Amino acid sequence: MTFASDGRVRADELLARFGRNPLSFCLRYDAPWQYVFAGTGEGAVAYLERNGVAVVWGDPLAAEDSAGVVLDEATAALRRRKLRVCLLLVGAETAAHALGHGYSVLKIGEQPFFSLAEWQPPRGDPGKHLRWCLNKAARAGVSVRAYEAADEEPARAALAAWEAGLARPAASSFLRSSPLTHAAEKRLFVARCDGRVEALLACTPVPAENGWFLEDLVRRPDAPMGATEAAVVEALRALATTGAERAWMDIAPLRGSEAQLDRRAHVLFRAAAPAISFFDSRYHFRTLTRYLDKFQPTAWRPAYVALNPPLPTVGVIRAVSALL
């Protein structure tokens, strides 16, 4: 394994070939990324180092049949440097492998997944909340279309209005909402009403899955009811017509957390309780979960954190908190 803090070009190549985690596009954003590359150059993990902790972002960028080997080698290399390792927001396969190779594993939520060939706006009682929102938007005159160059200034105005209306400071890390960053690589949609951009949705590619992640969804505080729901539904439809097979939305934190892979999960939850409480008060987990439930996704995919050594420390929690 080789370490590199300037391996962006190689990492971008691996991302284009092996990017299966919907959150991997975040590696394109500005952050002090460091990389551990496989000796063959055919795989890597990306991480941020904070106070003796290597926070690894997402699943390894590697072919499915070699991802476990890449992770094992990267773990060994990071541990030789006396770093604690935290795998953040990894999928089920990575979590299961990590659990068998010295990590503790904690399921922290679920991510809505859409099979675009099958998904339709839900009907009947399961779809009543979404229908209500879409009907409200239609009556208000909201329309959704693909982003055009002429939308840039009004879209930036909508983003500024959204940030000004937050009840908390806007995030300043690489996870901040930045829908227009790397816009040429994204699919963008705007919800308009009376000539004004009311909501903006940015979708980032998930190359190895022929899919898209509905990453940034922002709205004016006074936007008509249903503007964001209309943007999501139109985006899912539009992505399907262009041949995409899959789509994802944001992780619903704590959803399904009663089903764990690791019997030590209750200990991990107890240790992480102060951080969970802080982020719940900041991001309103239950509200987000209710919003995502409206769309009745095809399935919910689990998201995990994994730790090596297995027990969390204050330093690990602080390192992760610094990113969020």
Side-chain angles (χ1 to χ4, degrees), residues 31 57-58 60 75 110 129 146 157 191 202-204 208 216 223 240 264 292 300 310 321:
W57 184 253
T75 300
E110 294 179 335
H129 297 299
C203 308
T204 54
D216 281 327
R264 297 166 291 185
L292 296 171
W300 290 86
S321 300

Side-chain angles (χ1 to χ4, degrees), residues 37 43 45 73 82 104 129 162 198 209 212:
F37 290 98
V45 301
E73 293 180 355
K82 309 299 183 185
S104 61
H129 297 299
W162 172 77
E198 305 290 349
E209 295 285 346
W212 294 85

